Amino acid sequence: MVVKVKPTDTAIEVAELNFYYGDTQALFNINLSIPSKMVTALIGPSGCGKSTFLRTLNRMNDIIDDTRLAGTIKIDGTDIYESGMDIVSLRKSVGMVFQKSNPFPKSIFDNVAYGPRIHGIKSSELLTEIVEKSLERSGLWDEVKDRLDDNALGLSGGQQQRLCIARALAVQPEILLMDEPASALDPRSTAKVEDLIGELKEDYTIIIVTHNMQQAARVSDYTAFFYEGSLVEYGVTSNLFTNPKAKQTEDYITGRFG
Amino acid sequence: MWKDKAIKLSFLGVASTSILIMLLIFIFLFKEALPFIKHPGLASLLDSKWLPVSFQEERYGLLPLLTGTGLITLLAMAFAVPASVLSSIYIAEVANPSEKEILKPFIELLASIPSVVLGFFGLIVLAPLVKSVFGLNSGLNALSGAILLALMATPTIISVSEDAINSVPSAYKNASLALGASRMQTVFKVVVPAALPGIVAAVMLGAGRVIGETMAVLMVTGNAARITGNPLESVRTMTATIAAEMGEVPFGSTHYQSLFWIGILLLIMTFSLNVVAQRVLKKYGMFR
Amino acid sequence: MSYKLKEILITSGLRLTTYAIVFVIGYILVDIIWHGLPVINWQFLTEMPRRGGAEGGIFPAIVGTAYLVAGTILIALPFGVGSAIYLSEYARRNRVTELIRLAIITLAGVPSIVFGLFGLGLFVIFFGFGASILAGSITLACMVLPTIIVTSEEALRAVPRSFREGSLALGASKWQAVRTNVLPYSFSGIITGAILGIGRAAGETAPILLTVAAFFLPRLPQSIFDQVMALPYHLYILATQHPDASKVLPLQYGTALVLLILVLGLSLGAIIIRSHFRRKYRW
């Protein structure tokens, strides 16, 4: 099922994607165009493959033994799975925020500076500038600007997650992948993160996996509904939620199964 | 990309040195021992006398050395196993946490004492004690050696057995207690039997240590190569033989080669014990 | 007999057995400390031995042990940590990995005297190093290698997976991720293992018997091809082959105590380092 999207640029073009863990197939013939500088939500019941799909976009599945992928994923016209692809620069332009925030046991400054340092930036003025900008962008600067040398593990859960977002932004990606970024947070922190996503989409293409439909409805422009490894429906969020085309979509949205 | 591959290969190379060393040990032991097969032939190792230096006829029988090692090992395990297993039960099931904090390091301490220091203690304190208790001419015999070796095997047996006992699921204990069994009944009838494979592995590892020990036995067993079952007599172990005679042996001589055969035999014995013990531990889910 | 009484009897029996072992350990330590302490003074530690070891100090033995230990660690640590990094971060489940693990278990079980034979055959004779610090150190390094590999691998595996994933997701290469975000947090475990290895190397006699040790050398070693005196060997000879055994008894005790303090001190140091770092990095 190929879905045409309203006229915006396409950031990621997924064609005929099939994915296997060993002998088990996890993704079946996914075709999807993800629009640029918009928020696309991936929803679906547990085990439907949305997280697996997300991880194919920055090739994080590569670190798992015995996985196989067929099909193409094109970013900026280049198939990121073709041989000779520079994975390091791919992961620079496609950043990831994990479900459980995982700040390194270093200082706040060193956490955010980690990415740029890895990629060769040594000048401390430049690093300080990058750290400040990234923390501002993720809305954490005011809260931590006086204690950049404190251990990041001392921050609250919501702050840690925003720190991880700042860390991802520090390497200047074009695309940001977020795997259930607010599922471990309390409602207030969740709201902060959701607001943040709304601001970030001006500059970044954002793809967010969520099991929380209300969140998807609040935050995203486009939504893709996954079920048992297949893409069942994809469309503008408001349309998908008010007027779902597929019966499965409707059943999931109305809570007939979850 | 290729830089990553190069790094991975370098680490693989480093890790492979273990394999290299293992192979080299086997190869070089055999290399030095090989000529013995032609002359005087492996069958002479089965002789009942070890007399590598003699005016009449040299005898290279390993039997006295094997029985020496065997007698001491058996005795040492007879002392060590009951004491160690019972102690491990105490530490794992009875001792309270603050007691454990003191006991465990203390036992570890025993494991750290160099064997030459224990041998020295055996020579100066233990042997005279054995001598006076049993009214002998000398306290340098199998018994003294066995006592020292028991001390050396104890920390190994205790720590592995303790791990095994701690790995028994508490569900077993709870079920037994819920049925009205007392704590000690639960321990001896449910927990210990469940931990038995691990305890057996612990004993095997301990035995491996005992068989391979050199300095302590060299210093207190009297070093007489004879076949005997009497613990109050002097005996000689395989390990002590190598240590004592290697220094004075003419390089490349038959005597020299026979010592390497002893080494090969020792290697095979301890290797088998270790591998079996690890298999048992792995099979029953207790990793060491 | 009521079951309560039985319980008490059994528990007491277990307690008795355990503390009997503790008593024996304590007795040995006290005996050596009691007889050895009076002998140890500045001269004992810094003077050269005289009259074939019957008088004077044990300075060269201390120096020799120090050289051997330094050599051992210089060789064993890179190979040990490198192997651990491979096994923890790169290895897949294949034949080669199985073989490496088998080799490590094998080496861990080889009797120390067999290492001595090996060292003699390969390093002293075949490579022609002769009885030397070089031959002794390499032999000891082979012996200590399994310990270092096992403790280092444990230390690496204790670092949470999310650190590696987080680094990779930011575009780090595998080695960058390991070097900057895994290795630093495993240092305490690695150092603990190294100290334990040093302790073993310092106290072993059999491997150095045939590869390096001498009893009476007129001067300190000048190069790695020289023989050295070493504490364990010195104690062994003093205790068993000295013609004037009873006269040198105090020196034997002194040597034993120095060796004991060295080895136990190292173990203690390892424990302290381990708990210090445990408090520093919590995750």
Side-chain angles (χ1 to χ4, degrees):
Chain A
M1 184 177 89
V2 179
V3 180
K4 289 277 191 269
V5 161
K6 292 277 189 285
T8 45
D9 294 328
T10 300
I12 307 181
E13 186 80 49
V14 180
E16 317 273 322
L17 176 65
N18 289 281
F19 186 83
Y20 305 81
Y21 289 110
D23 290 328
T24 320
Q25 186 161 4
L27 295 174
F28 297 81
N29 213 12
I30 313 274
N31 290 282
L32 186 56
S33 291
I34 296 183
S36 163
K37 300 243 190 357
M38 300 259 163
V39 180
T40 303
L42 309 178
I43 62 172
S46 298
C48 65
K50 51 193 197 291
S51 283
T52 305
F53 174 70
L54 192 74
R55 288 166 65 101
T56 59
L57 300 177
N58 68 346
R59 293 188 67 163
M60 277 304 273
N61 284 326
D62 283 13
I63 63 180
I64 304 176
D65 269 343
D66 207 17
T67 55
R68 213 171 24 105
L69 179 141
T72 60
I73 300 182
K74 286 200 186 154
I75 300 183
D76 275 347
T78 320
D79 181 7
I80 63 176
Y81 279 88
E82 70 185 10
S83 66
M85 180 72 209
D86 182 3
I87 298 190
V88 162
S89 65
L90 168 67
R91 293 194 184 132
K92 248 186 91 177
S93 43
V94 183
M96 183 170 238
V97 175
F98 296 82
Q99 177 173 359
K100 186 161 184 310
S101 65
N102 57 352
F104 306 139
K106 304 178 197 272
S107 70
I108 295 173
F109 184 90
D110 286 335
N111 261 279
V112 184
Y114 180 81
R117 279 200 180 114
I118 283 285
H119 294 299
I121 298 183
K122 294 203 173 67
S123 139
S124 62
E125 288 120 33
L126 197 50
L127 284 172
T128 314
E129 199 188 310
I130 294 177
V131 168
E132 188 177 328
K133 264 205 228 154
S134 309
L135 284 170
E136 272 176 353
R137 212 68 182 72
S138 73
L140 195 56
W141 176 250
D142 284 330
E143 291 166 59
V144 300
K145 65 184 179 211
D146 296 324
R147 46 184 181 131
L148 291 177
D149 284 330
D150 283 1
N151 195 311
L153 296 176
L155 296 172
S156 75
Q159 289 172 321
Q160 284 187 8
Q161 193 61 302
R162 278 179 286 146
L163 175 66
C164 291
I165 295 175
R167 188 175 69 186
L169 294 179
V171 296
Q172 287 159 346
E174 285 158 19
I175 302 170
L176 202 54
L177 307 176
M178 305 178 102
D179 192 346
E180 308 216 29
S183 64
L185 302 179
D186 62 84
R188 247 193 20 188
S189 306
T190 302
K192 280 200 183 148
V193 171
E194 286 179 9
D195 287 342
L196 185 56
I197 294 178
E199 288 165 21
L200 288 174
K201 78 174 183 191
E202 285 178 38
D203 299 311
Y204 306 93
T205 303
I206 301 186
I207 305 165
I208 163 172
V209 165
T210 177
H211 66 266
N212 182 334
M213 281 179 292
Q214 288 83 5
Q215 180 174 84
R218 283 194 293 269
V219 150
S220 66
D221 304 301
Y222 290 85
T223 301
F225 171 59
F226 281 77
Y227 183 65
E228 287 188 349
S230 298
L231 176 62
V232 171
E233 188 170 341
Y234 175 65
V236 175
T237 300
S238 45
N239 292 349
L240 188 129
F241 276 97
T242 52
N243 213 2
K245 296 203 183 68
K247 178 150 195 326
Q248 279 163 324
T249 318
E250 188 182 338
D251 285 344
Y252 179 68
I253 290 173
T254 53
R256 232 163 259 156
F257 67 88
Chain B
M1 277 302 286
W2 67 265
K3 194 177 169 203
D4 273 347
K5 266 253 142 97
I7 294 182
K8 176 176 178 173
L9 278 172
S10 332
F11 278 120
L12 175 58
V14 168
S16 306
T17 47
S18 298
I19 303 179
L20 182 66
I21 299 175
M22 176 177 80
L23 288 176
L24 283 177
I25 293 182
F26 280 106
I27 292 177
F28 270 85
L29 287 186
F30 269 103
K31 174 175 175 287
E32 299 297 321
L34 215 47
F36 193 88
I37 299 184
K38 271 255 168 82
H39 165 79
L42 282 179
S44 63
L45 292 175
L46 296 173
D47 203 339
S48 61
K49 268 202 159 46
W50 172 261
L51 215 57
V53 182
S54 156
F55 287 121
Q56 294 146 324
E57 190 201 343
E58 288 120 0
R59 307 271 282 270
Y60 297 104
L62 294 185
L63 284 182
L65 308 178
L66 274 167
T67 54
T69 300
L71 177 62
I72 288 190
T73 305
L74 235 63
L75 268 179
M77 298 312 279
F79 290 140
V81 171
S84 306
V85 174
L86 288 176
S87 291
S88 64
I89 295 177
Y90 179 76
I91 295 178
E93 293 290 330
V94 180
N96 57 50
S98 40
E99 242 185 314
K100 273 193 227 188
E101 290 277 302
I102 303 180
L103 283 174
K104 291 182 72 163
F106 218 71
I107 310 275
E108 282 302 308
L109 219 68
L110 180 57
S112 314
I113 300 181
S115 56
V116 67
V117 172
L118 277 176
F120 165 68
F121 177 78
L123 201 55
I124 302 296
V125 176
L126 184 60
L129 187 64
V130 167
K131 174 177 167 186
S132 56
V133 164
F134 290 95
L136 306 163
N137 280 332
S138 155
L140 299 180
N141 50 34
L143 181 61
S144 303
I147 295 177
L148 285 183
L149 287 178
L151 277 175
M152 299 183 76
T154 297
T156 307
I157 303 181
I158 289 185
S159 85
V160 179
S161 298
E162 199 213 323
D163 276 352
I165 294 175
N166 282 330
S167 328
V168 174
S170 49
Y172 291 11
K173 269 197 278 186
N174 294 338
S176 169
L177 290 171
L179 287 167
S182 73
R183 217 173 81 183
M184 284 297 109
Q185 278 177 320
T186 303
V187 164
F188 282 97
K189 289 194 197 297
V190 172
V191 177
V192 170
L196 209 52
I199 297 180
V200 167
V203 170
M204 278 195 263
L205 290 172
R209 258 213 87 177
V210 165
I211 292 177
E213 173 48 40
T214 309
M215 295 319 291
V217 289
L218 184 55
M219 291 164 93
V220 304
T221 56
N223 291 308
R226 64 158 74 99
I227 301 182
T228 172
N230 180 355
L232 297 177
E233 287 187 39
S234 295
V235 292
R236 194 188 244 194
T237 63
M238 301 193 303
T239 50
T241 306
I242 302 177
E245 298 181 7
M246 198 40 125
E248 286 135 22
V249 125
F251 170 69
S253 65
T254 313
H255 187 184
Y256 172 88
Q257 293 155 11
S258 63
L259 291 177
F260 274 87
W261 276 108
I262 302 180
I264 292 175
L265 199 54
L266 271 173
L267 192 57
I268 296 178
M269 289 167 75
T270 49
F271 176 66
S272 319
L273 273 172
N274 263 291
V275 166
V276 173
Q278 293 287 342
R279 286 263 164 85
V280 169
L281 284 176
K282 212 170 179 193
K283 184 171 178 202
Y284 288 92
M286 294 167 267
F287 295 94
R288 191 69 186 130
Chain C
M1 201 180 339
S2 82
Y3 93 87
K4 269 228 167 99
L5 190 57
K6 244 186 180 177
E7 283 283 290
I8 297 181
L9 278 176
I10 297 181
T11 321
S12 308
L14 292 177
R15 185 170 293 128
L16 198 64
T17 315
T18 311
Y19 282 98
I21 297 179
V22 169
F23 173 73
V24 171
I25 302 172
Y27 185 86
I28 297 176
L29 292 176
V30 166
D31 182 74
I32 296 181
I33 296 177
W34 181 261
H35 289 106
L37 209 49
V39 182
I40 297 185
N41 51 39
W42 189 245
Q43 289 99 302
F44 184 67
L45 295 173
T46 55
E47 277 183 1
M48 303 287 283
R50 297 189 297 272
R51 301 251 185 112
E55 286 173 27
I58 55 169
F59 183 61
I62 297 179
V63 168
T65 295
Y67 279 138
L68 281 174
V69 157
T72 306
I73 274 298
L74 271 168
I75 301 172
L77 203 56
F79 279 100
V81 177
S83 303
I85 291 179
Y86 179 76
L87 288 172
S88 161
E89 308 294 325
Y90 290 95
R92 308 221 148 181
R93 287 192 166 200
N94 53 31
R95 283 276 165 79
V96 176
T97 311
E98 299 264 325
L99 205 55
I100 294 178
R101 293 213 182 269
L102 178 67
I104 296 175
I105 294 179
T106 307
L107 285 180
V110 173
S112 51
I113 189 69
V114 174
F115 269 114
L117 276 180
F118 168 63
L120 179 68
L122 182 58
F123 303 119
V124 175
I125 296 175
F126 188 74
F127 281 164
F129 295 151
S132 57
I133 299 179
L134 186 59
S137 295
I138 305 182
T139 309
L140 284 170
C142 292
M143 195 183 75
V144 156
L145 192 61
T147 308
I148 297 195
I149 296 181
V150 168
T151 45
S152 299
E153 198 191 336
E154 239 178 70
L156 286 165
R157 283 189 191 273
V159 177
R161 253 189 86 193
S162 59
F163 289 16
R164 297 168 179 83
E165 281 203 347
S167 295
L168 290 173
L170 287 166
S173 73
K174 184 145 195 184
W175 171 233
Q176 272 180 323
V178 170
R179 182 172 49 89
T180 59
N181 222 14
V182 176
L183 215 47
Y185 303 113
S186 57
F187 273 158
S188 73
I190 293 178
I191 292 185
T192 309
I195 293 184
L196 289 175
I198 293 180
R200 262 201 84 189
E204 282 285 344
T205 320
I208 61 175
L209 213 53
L210 312 169
T211 57
V212 59
F215 177 63
F216 189 65
L217 293 174
R219 47 183 194 151
L220 293 176
Q222 312 285 321
S223 86
I224 59 172
F225 290 103
D226 285 345
Q227 282 188 283
V228 280
M229 297 169 67
L231 284 171
Y233 187 67
H234 196 79
L235 175 59
Y236 167 62
I237 298 291
L238 274 183
T240 58
Q241 288 168 24
H242 201 276
D244 221 340
S246 55
K247 182 174 176 208
V248 298
L249 187 62
L251 289 159
Q252 296 171 22
Y253 266 110
T255 312
L257 184 55
V258 171
L259 186 54
L260 205 59
I261 292 178
L262 176 65
V263 172
L264 294 185
L266 286 169
S267 293
L268 200 66
I271 296 179
I272 293 180
I273 290 185
R274 185 168 33 199
S275 53
H276 166 76
F277 272 95
R278 224 168 239 173
R279 266 177 281 123
K280 192 172 170 203
Y281 287 125
R282 271 168 297 113
W283 50 61

